[in-house]
Amino acid sequence: MSMTYVYARSDGNLELRYPIPPELQCFFPKTNGLGFRQFIGGSLGTKDTTVANAAAARRISEYEQLLGFLRGNHTDDRITELLRSVYKDELKRDLEQRLEVVDAGKSFLLRAESMAAYGAALRSDDPESLEASAGWLADLIQERLDKTLDVGRDNPIRLRLLHMAQEVLLDAVNAKIARARGLDAPLPVSPALNVQSSVEPGANVALSPDGRKSVSAYLDVFMERWQRAEPRERTVERRRDAWAEFCEVVGPNTPIYRVTKADLWRYHECLLIYPTRANSRRELSGLPFMRQVELARANPDKWPPLDPNTVGDRLRHVGAVFRDAVKRGDLSSNPADGVSEGRALTRVARPAYTVEELNAILSLPVFKPAPALEQRGDDFWVPLLELFTGARPSELYLPMTDVREDDDIPHLLLEPFEERKLKTPASARWVPVHSDLIKAGFLEYCRTMRASGQRLLFPEWDFELRLKPSEAPKRRRFNRMLAQAVDPGRRFKDSYTFRSTFETAISSSPNISERIARKLTGRALGGSARHYVDRLELAALREAIEEVTYKGVDRSHIYFLR
């Protein structure tokens, strides 16, 4: 209860204590005449928390409308409708009276002078004069307010209502005077006649002090609670990134309770055109999210957009924060409900390299002429490892403890460690070293790294702390080099495409079962199949990986062992 405006009385009944802003407390004098009230509210008539929260949300909405009036904001659509109706009726009645003046042969100017005298009374600062000229409309407004609040003639709330009536009636008088003088009626200046209501149907309500925080500040509230559940570090990072993007869309200082469903759909529209791997692209890296979106919108064919599953994932991360806010009693409703991107039933397959493209890549200067063994670094080995093991680029950022070059079956152990996580639990696996890699001297390279005391298989592979290893500068440079050898056309191809090429090769082999193929590539299988592949021996995996031969691809020049 302490996190909301709903409190338990000693008898177990629940009550609402809604704080009155200090600058408005003068409108709420205590009944004994000593000072001013700091809270409004009262009993909610129930001991049930869910029922009480619902009742509190309705009552807080009414209080916010009233406080808006006292601040000078017209936040109640019913009052706005009333004031507009009065304005129209006044002008309609004026037209009828003008016709009566014509029939009686009286001067329009005399009528204009009469209206000017009424206008002077309306502009008076004297409360009694204002009561006499605008009190009738203030009475109508008061009838629309919360009847439980006492608004006496000497109460400041009454004066605010008189000023609201004054603004509308002055607009009507000015229009009548202009008409009487043969001029066009001026535009009304009263906020009730000049702007649309600021409260949307189904607007959210803050049920606690946290519910009034800005969207940027509220993430810390959410994170403090969520961290107790010990979520995965990568999930935390993705949620923070998605929320930071959303903050740019709505403005970081926007109160979270003012976020609407339309704001969520605006974020959704931005994600639909947002470039994949934007922060790894030279033209986009380091730019704010909305600037990246603007550039993508201005260059629709330059970068491939996020796939629907990624869009849906980011929307779910943002929606989780709002869902928790409702669950914890900070907000009355979740604006993210119903805002989603349907998961694709099947992913559009990433294209594989053709034989011609692979031959062009293996003719690049990094491969041909083949450098001496001691000069073969990560630029040489990472693409070949992707091509012959199906490993994701980041998975090849390996500690030497996970390299087993001298086992009976040489293999790599792909497991998460402090500096590099894996995409999914299924990504953890053994990967035998392909015979083509052995011929190219990979085992000798591993032994050299171990003998020199290196902690990492590729010690020169540097990347920023918050980025994945695949987003390192060296990997980006290699992708640009690939673009010189391969024309991607409309299908995006980069270093990751080596993995797709491996997956295509093993899925095309009639001798490799789907279970083994998915195990080699770190794809999940449910049910009993998962337990089966977990027990697969290295020998079976090596037999399967040797089925990948890439016929027609010339790589004899990279062989170290003949």
Side-chain angles (χ1 to χ4, degrees), residues 250-494:
V250 300
N253 296 322
T254 300
I256 191 169
Y257 77 95
R258 294 228 180 245
V259 172
T260 66
K261 196 177 293 293
D263 294 325
L264 272 299
W265 281 116
R266 276 199 297 139
Y267 177 49
H268 172 268
E269 291 168 3
C270 291
L271 292 177
L272 291 180
I273 62 174
Y274 187 69
T276 182
R277 293 195 293 278
N279 291 316
S280 298
R281 302 184 187 282
R282 183 169 46 186
E283 308 97 315
L284 302 176
S285 178
L287 296 178
F289 173 75
M290 290 305 293
R291 178 56 181 157
Q292 293 172 334
V293 171
E294 291 173 8
L295 290 174
R297 185 178 285 115
N299 302 276
D301 298 323
K302 190 169 184 178
W303 305 292
L306 299 176
D307 67 53
N309 294 302
T310 303
V311 172
D313 183 64
R314 296 195 185 184
L315 289 171
R316 283 187 290 276
H317 279 300
V318 171
V321 179
F322 285 104
R323 186 168 59 252
D324 184 75
V326 174
K327 178 182 177 182
R328 300 288 181 174
D330 294 335
L331 297 178
S332 63
S333 61
N334 179 3
D337 275 346
V339 181
S340 64
E341 180 71 12
R343 284 184 175 271
L345 295 179
T346 57
R347 286 183 179 267
V348 177
R350 178 184 283 264
Y353 285 124
T354 64
V355 170
E356 293 75 15
E357 289 171 334
L358 286 175
N359 280 323
I361 291 169
L362 292 176
S363 296
L364 289 171
V366 69
F367 299 113
K368 193 174 186 178
L373 181 61
E374 60 274 11
Q375 295 175 338
R376 298 182 181 188
D378 56 313
D379 283 346
F380 180 88
W381 289 115
V382 170
L384 294 178
L385 285 166
E386 291 177 275
L387 186 62
F388 285 100
T389 68
R392 298 176 178 92
S394 291
E395 291 173 342
L396 294 173
Y397 186 79
L398 283 166
M400 287 304 299
T401 53
D402 291 345
V403 179
R404 311 294 170 83
E405 71 274 15
D406 288 324
D407 280 19
D408 291 340
I409 299 178
H411 65 278
L412 305 177
L413 178 59
L414 303 185
E415 287 189 332
F417 71 108
E418 182 179 359
E419 297 170 46
R420 188 262 294 135
K421 307 303 179 185
L422 295 180
K423 184 175 182 180
T424 66
S427 301
R429 62 198 189 275
W430 294 330
V431 180
V433 177
H434 195 283
S435 58
D436 270 60
L437 295 171
I438 295 175
K439 291 178 183 178
F442 179 65
L443 300 185
E444 280 70 18
Y445 171 82
C446 295
R447 292 170 185 139
T448 300
M449 291 297 102
R450 193 178 302 281
S452 62
Q454 296 295 339
R455 185 177 67 88
L456 297 170
L457 180 61
F458 301 115
E460 296 180 358
W461 188 344
D462 294 326
F463 58 95
E464 294 182 26
L465 181 63
R466 294 189 71 253
L467 296 180
K468 295 184 293 186
S470 60
E471 297 171 334
K474 295 189 75 173
R475 302 281 74 77
R476 293 200 298 268
R477 287 195 295 271
F478 184 79
N479 284 337
R480 290 195 291 272
M481 185 171 60
L482 284 177
Q484 300 172 9
V486 179
D487 179 13
R490 293 187 177 182
R491 307 300 298 275
F492 186 71
K493 294 183 178 181
D494 60 4

Side-chain angles (χ1 to χ4, degrees), residues 531-558:
H531 300 291
Y532 171 77
V533 296
D534 281 346
R535 293 194 299 268
L536 282 174
E537 295 182 358
L538 268 174
L541 296 175
R542 181 180 60 178
E543 182 179 342
I545 208 169
E546 290 298 331
E547 290 284 328
V548 178
T549 58
Y550 299 121
K551 293 180 179 179
V553 177
D554 180 17
R555 64 266 196 190
S556 58
H557 56 283
I558 67 170

